[in-house]
Amino acid sequence: MLGTGEAGVLLQEKGLDVPLGDGRTAYFNYYWLRDSCPTSFDTETRERVFDIFAEEDAPRAASAAIAGGHLEITWKGSGHVTRMPLGLLTEYAGGEKRADAANLPRVPWYADHYTKMARFAYDDLVAEPASVRDWSRAMLVDGVALLTGLPDTDAALKDTASLLGHVRPSYFGPDFEVKTHIKPTNLAFTSKALPLHTDLPDEDLAPGVQFLHCRANSVEGGQSLFVDGLAVAEDFQERHPEDFELLVSVDVPYYCEHDTFDMRARQHVIELDAYGNISGVTISQHHADIFDMPQQDLDRFYPAFCRFGRMMRDEKYLMRFRLNAGECIVFDNHRIVHGRAAYSATSGERHLRGCYIDRGELRSTYRVLSGEGRFK
């Protein structure tokens, strides 16, 4: 203990004990206090410009006091003065993760969700930032939203995606056409049934948010199938906790191999976020590689894996609907499991155009439009 500053601030060897004004006293490390000084951040770029690595000696307070709702520190050696709001200190006093406006509670949904799904008109999204805010919020809470009134143009897809973020290319390119191809490289490019899946788990970082713009749909069949992986995973955890822990911890190999690419990655079936909450799933039977785990481990893993897969097909969770021309379904590719019923390729035309953005950009857009941020 080094001494007591003014207004009850206690100078310790490596930090300060600071009264926060709400009856509590909290300890703050000297390095953290100097590094987090408001003057450490550039007012234009909002980036940290103070170089803690350049300090030859460990930071040490010469004096410290509470004045005008701020902690004021004069530093030994440099004489620099830090004025830090007590509100900021209170926010970091408990060592908890920084509050995030985009960390909204996810709400699970079930088979009857189609009539309840958040819907937004394209013209409103283009004209009103508040509509984009509400759309991004729906994506964070529900993981899916339906847009209507998109123009029948190639540009409409990119223009729509750019409202939330930048198009993130995959190994199919910046976008892709979902229709029957002469030489298909994916089941989606045929008229066959497409099993429930999440897209491209064979990429190191599977795409975050998927956009599917329906340009035409006059075929017989081809109904869209959507499941909230969060709802399934939450119920699975309650019913089969040991199986749940397996699917959270074991990484599954995925691949996609053709003449011009050979993609491989490993993913967990059930995903947790930084707070330990279920954030979604990654699953795709048609992109799953031959499982290369120890055979004895598969004695436990395969039954759990199959139990989860069968549960995902339960009618309780399965939302069925027809995507119509001019509509765009947008969904979290790490949460929403989707597929398609088979259709008759000769009965009409079915053409969807798709692309991806990253989930981080979705969260960024919501934070900006909701007015949250350190520099607001």
Side-chain angles (χ1 to χ4, degrees):
M1 184 183 299
L2 297 181
T4 302
E6 298 178 46
V9 179
L10 189 64
L11 280 67
Q12 303 275 21
E13 181 181 357
K14 296 183 178 180
L16 300 176
D17 286 337
V18 181
L20 298 176
D22 58 2
R24 294 183 299 152
T25 296
Y27 173 80
F28 295 92
N29 169 267
Y30 282 139
Y31 276 102
W32 183 88
L33 288 165
R34 181 62 187 91
D35 198 33
S36 304
C37 176
T39 63
S40 295
F41 299 89
D42 183 78
T43 56
E44 290 183 323
T45 67
R46 305 182 185 182
E47 297 172 341
R48 180 184 274 107
V49 290
F50 174 69
D51 183 5
I52 193 76
F53 299 157
E55 298 294 294
E56 293 184 5
D57 300 317
R60 191 72 67 87
S63 63
I66 303 296
H70 289 72
L71 170 66
E72 294 188 352
I73 307 170
T74 300
W75 297 98
K76 284 186 176 180
S78 67
H80 178 80
V81 176
T82 289
R83 293 190 77 248
M84 188 168 290
L86 290 181
L88 180 65
L89 293 173
T90 300
E91 182 179 346
Y92 286 92
E96 299 171 349
K97 291 182 174 64
R98 180 187 175 192
D100 184 358
N103 183 34
L104 297 170
R106 303 176 186 90
V107 177
W109 52 260
Y110 302 89
D112 62 351
H113 187 64
Y114 181 71
T115 58
K116 307 171 186 176
M117 197 184 330
R119 288 167 165 78
F120 301 91
Y122 173 82
D123 288 344
D124 291 342
L125 293 172
V126 171
E128 302 169 7
S131 291
V132 178
R133 179 201 62 209
D134 294 344
W135 172 30
S136 59
R137 179 182 175 85
M139 292 296 301
L140 293 169
V141 173
D142 298 334
V144 64
L146 186 67
L147 313 186
T148 59
L150 268 69
D152 185 18
T153 64
D154 287 353
L157 177 67
K158 182 179 179 181
D159 291 346
T160 301
S162 66
L163 295 171
L164 289 187
H166 294 89
V167 171
R168 179 261 213 215
S170 70
Y171 55 88
F172 290 122
D175 50 49
F176 53 92
E177 307 289 345
V178 184
K179 58 183 178 180
T180 52
H181 292 218
I182 296 175
K183 292 184 178 181
T185 56
N186 191 289
L187 275 176
F189 304 155
T190 73
S191 61
K192 301 172 185 176
L194 185 59
L196 289 168
H197 67 285
T198 56
D199 268 23
L200 309 190
D202 41 80
E203 290 200 353
D204 288 340
L205 296 174
V209 178
Q210 182 169 174
F211 296 73
L212 287 175
H213 174 203
C214 183
R215 304 287 294 277
N217 191 5
S218 58
V219 297
E220 296 175 4
Q223 194 175 39
S224 295
L225 311 173
F226 275 59
V227 169
D228 185 2
L230 171 72
V232 181
E234 286 186 345
D235 289 351
F236 190 76
Q237 181 181 26
E238 182 177 348
R239 298 179 198 175
H240 310 287
E242 293 183 358
D243 289 351
F244 176 86
E245 292 302 323
L246 270 181
L247 299 192
V248 165
S249 59
V250 175
D251 58 354
V252 174
Y254 290 96
Y255 81 106
C256 190
E257 180 182 350
H258 284 280
D259 293 343
T260 58
F261 54 82
D262 185 349
M263 302 294 294
R264 306 180 198 183
R266 308 185 77 91
Q267 314 288 352
H268 294 153
V269 176
I270 298 176
E271 301 176 1
L272 305 180
D273 65 16
Y275 301 89
N277 300 315
I278 299 170
S279 59
V281 301
T282 296
I283 196 162
S284 176
Q285 283 184 286
H286 54 291
H287 279 221
D289 206 341
I290 295 174
F291 288 0
D292 54 5
M293 300 84 111
Q295 292 295 313
Q296 289 79 7
D297 293 350
L298 293 173
D299 290 346
R300 288 189 60 215
F301 182 79
Y302 254 119
F305 182 65
C306 291
R307 188 174 289 119
F308 181 73
R310 286 191 295 269
M311 188 171 172
M312 196 170 59
R313 296 177 176 179
D314 192 302
E315 291 296 326
K316 171 184 176 180
Y317 306 104
L318 197 56
M319 178 172 69
R320 306 171 187 268
F321 63 97
R322 184 179 184 85
L323 195 61
N324 301 305
E327 294 178 339
C328 182
I329 190 79
V330 187
F331 55 97
D332 183 341
N333 183 53
H334 288 252
R335 170 177 169 180
I336 307 304
V337 189
H338 68 289
R340 180 197 66 216
Y343 65 90
S344 171
T346 59
S347 63
E349 183 182 6
R350 190 179 192 275
H351 177 198
L352 276 60
R353 186 175 173 84
C355 71
Y356 309 103
I357 67 166
D358 285 327
R359 285 197 294 181
E361 291 205 88
L362 165 64
R363 293 190 288 267
S364 169
T365 296
Y366 179 73
R367 292 183 193 114
V368 170
L369 294 178
S370 65
E372 294 291 336
R374 177 178 288 127
F375 297 90
K376 298 294 184 184

